[in-house]
C-alpha cells in the first residue's frame, strides 16, 4: 500500500473569511496516483476550521455570521486574558479541523455540494492544509 503526502500552502486576506480549496485538494489527490484508498485532510491550525459544504457566496457568509452569533468575537473569554482570539479557537474547536474520506475508482466520495472549505477566524495569515493519501 502506498502513502503520499503534500501540503497546500495558501494565504487568507481577511480576519474572518472562508476559502474554497476544492480544486487544490482534487488536484493533489490526482497527483497522488491513488485510485482506491483514504484521503485524510488536516488543517494544522487552532484558530481556523475545515468543513465540507456548498461553496455558494450567500451560504459562505451565513456560515461566518452564524458562527459569530454562536461565538461572538468579543466576549468574556478566559483565553483573551493572554491573547485576543478566544473566539477563533472556540470556532475551530466547534467545527473541527480534519476530515477522512474514501477514494473509490479515482474519485473522492463526497456530495455534489460538499466543497472543501477552510473557515479562517484569525487572519490574514499564511496557512497550510496537510493532504495525506493512502491506498493503491
Ligand atoms: Zn490564542
Amino acid at each position: 500500500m502506498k502513502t503520499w503526502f503534500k501540503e497546500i500552502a495558501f494565504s487568507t486576506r481577511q480576519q474572518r473569511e472562508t476559502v474554497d480549496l476544492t480544486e487544490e485538494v482534487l488536484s493533489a489527490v490526482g497527483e497522488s496516483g491513488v485510485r482506491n484508498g483514504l484521503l485524510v485532510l488536516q488543517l494544522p491550525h487552532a484558530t481556523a476550521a475545515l468543513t465540507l459544504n456548498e461553496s455558494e457566496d450567500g451560504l459562505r457568509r451565513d456560515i461566518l455570521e452564524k458562527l459569530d452569533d454562536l461565538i461572538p468575537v468579543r466576549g468574556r473569554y478566559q483565553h483573551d486574558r493572554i491573547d485576543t482570539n478566544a473566539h477563533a479557537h472556540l470556532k475551530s474547536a466547534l467545527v473541527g479541523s480534519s476530515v477522512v474520506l474514501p477514494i473509490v475508482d479515482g474519485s473522492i466520495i463526497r456530495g455534489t455540494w460538499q466543497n472543501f472549505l477552510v473557515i479562517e477566524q484569525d487572519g490574514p495569515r499564511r496557512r497550510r492544509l496537510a493532504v495525506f493519501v493512502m491506498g493503491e
Side-chain angles (χ1 to χ4, degrees), residues 4 6 8 25-26 28-30 32 34 36-42 52 98-104 107-110 116 129-135:
W4 186 89
K6 176 182 189 166
I8 297 169
V25 170
L26 296 182
V29 170
S32 77
V34 170
N36 290 285
L38 284 178
L39 165 65
V40 180
L41 295 175
Q42 155 67 352
L52 291 174
S98 63
V99 299
V100 178
L101 296 172
I103 302 168
V104 178
S107 294
I108 302 166
I109 302 298
R110 65 189 178 107
F116 297 94
L129 177 67
V131 181
F132 180 80
V133 181
M134 57 194 287

Side-chain angles (χ1 to χ4, degrees), residues 47 79-80 82-86 89 122:
T47 55
H79 182 62
D80 284 347
I82 60 153
D83 208 342
T84 56
N85 60 0
H89 289 277
D122 197 25

